[in-house]
Amino acid sequence: MFYILLMCILNIVCLFVGIWVGQKVNRGEEIKLQNPIKMINEYKDSKEREKEQKEISIMLENIDNYNGTGLGQKDIEED
């Protein structure tokens, strides 16, 4: 029973991928296939850069808000 359900789901996924590719071809758009591992690594790198930029902006805000006390200081989130 599980294999039948799995095959049905795969058929539906293939149908939607085929529709997507067919629409791109019909519009004359380029179909670009990418390496999924490379895409995942780029996504991770972008998330790391976003986190780093957020930390730097918090540090700069803390420097601007410093008046000799701890008031107005923000904590940098750690994972």
Side-chain angles (χ1 to χ4, degrees):
M1 182 68 184
F2 173 74
Y3 295 112
I4 295 172
L5 183 63
L6 181 66
M7 286 301 292
C8 290
I9 292 171
L10 286 175
N11 283 334
I12 292 171
V13 169
C14 288
L15 173 72
F16 283 116
V17 169
I19 290 171
W20 179 73
V21 169
Q23 288 176 350
K24 287 231 178 220
V25 168
N26 193 24
R27 291 186 204 134
E29 297 177 11
E30 180 181 348
I31 300 172
K32 185 176 178 184
L33 300 177
Q34 296 181 358
N35 184 351
I37 296 173
K38 188 175 183 181
M39 290 175 60
I40 291 171
N41 288 338
E42 289 174 1
Y43 178 77
K44 287 181 183 178
D45 290 343
S46 68
K47 287 294 182 184
E48 289 175 6
R49 273 188 263 123
E50 288 177 15
K51 181 182 174 196
E52 190 174 292
Q53 289 295 327
K54 185 177 178 183
E55 289 176 357
I56 290 173
S57 67
I58 291 173
M59 287 181 208
L60 291 174
E61 283 183 43
N62 285 343
I63 291 171
D64 288 339
N65 294 336
Y66 184 69
N67 62 357
T69 65
L71 296 175
Q73 301 294 303
K74 295 182 180 178
D75 292 332
I76 297 175
E77 299 175 12
E78 295 182 18
D79 289 333

